[in-house]
Amino acid sequence: MNSKYNFQYFQGSSLSDLFTQDITDGSYGFILNYPATASWAAYPNRKKYFIQDGSSEASKTSFDKICQKEPWKNLAVLGDRLPGIVIIPPPKPLLEYWQGHLGFKYSNIEMMDGSTYLDDLSHSERFDKLITLFPFDCLKPEKHAVASDTHYRLLSKVTLEELGVQCPKYKSYNLHQVNIADIQLPQFPYLIKTSHGLSGEGTYIIKSPSDLNYCLEEIKKYLDIKLLDTIIVSEFVKNEVQNYCVQFYVNKAGEITLIGTTGQLVTPEGNYLGGVIDYGKTDMSKFFEMIANVGDYAHKQGYFGVIGFDVLENQDGQFYAIDANFRVNGSTPLCLQRHTLLRLGKEVAKYSSSYRMEGTLESILITLKPELERKDLIILSALEKVKYGKIYTDLYAIVTGETIEQMQYVEQQLQTKGLKLLS
């Protein structure tokens, strides 16, 4: 262990347990959905806090992902102390499954009207402060639990070099001040990133002229719809052997609690698919100095909450931070299963947002009942859909095992029962 730091693992299993130490000075709620910029959004983020969630209407992050699948995943592990605000309630079978298997009451779900919720919250006497994944243009700044300008700046890819950790060399460019055609680009390979891309959107790995042309077309689209100010051009980390997401909580006093470290599953294009964790063998001490520096920086900026930073390890054992997310991360619910699964002797787990199974959720809960009872499978989110007259269900889920081999065997057995892994 790194004796200079005395960081301890979080002992709870819910987001409420993490945040409860910091929400005693008022009435807090957690808005579980991201803002969006699509035409369906009642409150699009198009004024100040730009989020790159698709460069055209056809490629925008979908309503069901933003308002159903993603918020429900965090609602699953929210716990009972912090009210969770949703604009679409989770399906009744999913809620009943959570209640039976995750151990929370879910009496703190705050259902709000999606067409008025940010106005209602801005003028609410029920909530003094709202925890968010990203600042909302249409929520009053003073209602944000973390100052909205500060949060937006922390979430920017431009901020990475200020965090006090080793990162790839990069330069940032404000495209209202610099013509993109005048930027001197490095030799292939390198990366171009938009400042606030969502889940891998806006990250372009440039290995060829065709990659560059595609990237420049996308950036032009973002500029045309006035949803982008800044890009960064970054070195490419070569000889990568591991991709980690290191997660911790920094409280209002600046104290750090470890949440966990996952190995990240990403597509060759850089899009996030999920994470794998070994609760027993993961040694977070190799990241302690990075955690201390990032946490100290966040605290000095006035941030409190979950932080996850992405780290690449190369074949020489060097660590490079490539992104920092000052919010609940995609694999935070996976990390929060640590104590529950270790008590069952399950040391390895994999989270994916890309499972699918034919049939209704109710039928799936019956088919997979033995695996769910043993916690071989934990369902975090589920949404039924219909295609060509057939019902299927998209699942965000965790597959577990005593070892990685056993976890893979469990996943293969689940596949024989009809659980598919897309992508």
Side-chain angles (χ1 to χ4, degrees), residues 121-258:
L121 289 168
S122 288
H123 300 99
S124 169
E125 293 182 6
R126 163 95 171 80
F127 294 109
D128 302 314
K129 295 285 183 185
L130 294 148
I131 295 160
T132 66
L133 300 169
F134 196 95
F136 287 86
D137 274 345
C138 299
L139 179 68
K140 281 186 177 177
E142 61 270 23
K143 285 285 188 177
H144 288 78
V146 173
S148 49
D149 283 355
T150 299
H151 199 188
Y152 187 65
R153 195 176 65 76
L154 287 170
L155 287 165
S156 172
K157 305 282 189 284
V158 177
T159 306
L160 191 61
E161 65 185 4
E162 297 176 25
L163 304 182
V165 294
Q166 180 168 269
C167 61
K169 290 189 179 73
Y170 66 86
K171 287 185 178 177
S172 62
Y173 300 92
N174 184 317
L175 297 181
H176 303 301
Q177 297 167 0
V178 178
N179 187 320
I180 195 164
D182 296 332
I183 296 172
Q184 195 166 3
L185 296 169
Q187 290 186 319
F188 304 134
Y190 58 92
L191 287 93
I192 296 178
K193 298 183 183 183
T194 62
S195 61
H196 293 84
L198 177 64
S199 296
E201 171 62 31
T203 293
Y204 308 98
I205 301 170
I206 314 296
K207 294 182 175 179
S208 67
S210 62
D211 290 340
L212 178 59
N213 289 337
Y214 173 75
C215 168
L216 295 178
E217 284 171 16
E218 288 290 290
I219 286 171
K220 185 178 183 301
K221 288 179 191 173
Y222 274 120
L223 289 170
D224 289 345
I225 58 176
K226 297 181 168 55
L227 285 179
L228 179 64
D229 291 328
T230 305
I231 62 166
I232 70 162
V233 179
S234 169
E235 278 185 336
F236 184 84
V237 176
K238 294 175 182 171
N239 305 314
E240 170 206 331
V241 294
Q242 285 287 351
N243 183 345
Y244 304 99
C245 181
V246 180
Q247 296 183 50
F248 64 96
Y249 185 94
V250 61
N251 69 12
K252 286 181 177 176
E255 296 161 341
I256 286 167
T257 307
L258 305 177

Side-chain angles (χ1 to χ4, degrees), residues 357-369 384 393:
M357 193 160 168
E358 286 185 12
T360 64
L361 177 57
E362 281 193 274
S363 71
I364 290 165
L365 291 173
I366 293 166
T367 302
L368 301 182
K369 187 176 180 184
E384 291 178 7
T393 302

